[in-house]
Amino acid sequence: MARFDDLIHAPTRLSLVSLLAATDWADFRFLRDSAGLSDSALSKQLTTLEEAGYVEIRKSFVGKRPRTSARLTARGHEAFAGHVAALQEIVARAGLAVLPHP
């Protein structure tokens, strides 16, 4: 069901959610580097998504080093799919193609 989601729509969170939608678990460093964020900015965004129930955070250790990973929850996948559908509807109403022509 198409549903615009203000929480996901923020550019940084949209980027993170789209990265997480394409994987099972994503390492903190991968997300940080892919989104071009500082550690603190990524942590803040992940916390916001976790509080909404969209992201699950897993903390573990590899040797003595902490390792943080994240994944979308079922609710997060559903919210992202609804948001993408809403964006597609908005674009289609403007008479534009959602995907570029080859």
Side-chain angles (χ1 to χ4, degrees), residues 3 5 7-8 17 48-56 71-83:
R3 185 177 78 72
D5 191 306
L7 184 74
I8 291 176
V17 171
T48 298
L49 291 165
E50 182 181 36
E51 288 172 351
Y54 291 175
V55 169
E56 179 182 349
R71 73 173 176 178
L72 278 185
T73 62
R75 182 176 179 186
H77 278 285
E78 183 179 312
F80 181 60
H83 187 70

Side-chain angles (χ1 to χ4, degrees), residues 12-87:
T12 300
R13 287 191 293 271
L14 182 58
S15 176
L16 291 172
V17 171
S18 67
L19 286 166
L20 291 169
T23 186
D24 185 27
W25 284 94
D27 183 71
F28 187 91
R29 291 184 319 178
F30 168 78
L31 293 170
R32 180 197 63 204
D33 296 345
S34 296
L37 297 172
S38 67
D39 287 356
S40 62
L42 175 57
S43 182
K44 180 180 177 186
Q45 297 303 329
L46 288 176
T47 297
T48 298
L49 291 165
E50 182 181 36
E51 288 172 351
Y54 291 175
V55 169
E56 179 182 349
I57 305 294
R58 177 174 64 188
K59 295 186 182 266
S60 61
F61 283 89
V62 176
K64 293 184 180 184
R65 293 181 176 228
R67 174 79 38 105
T68 300
S69 300
R71 73 173 176 178
L72 278 185
T73 62
R75 182 176 179 186
H77 278 285
E78 183 179 312
F80 181 60
H83 187 70
V84 169
L87 292 175

Side-chain angles (χ1 to χ4, degrees), residues 84 87-92 95-102:
V84 169
L87 292 175
Q88 289 171 331
E89 286 180 5
I90 291 167
V91 170
L96 301 172
V98 175
L99 297 174
H101 296 287

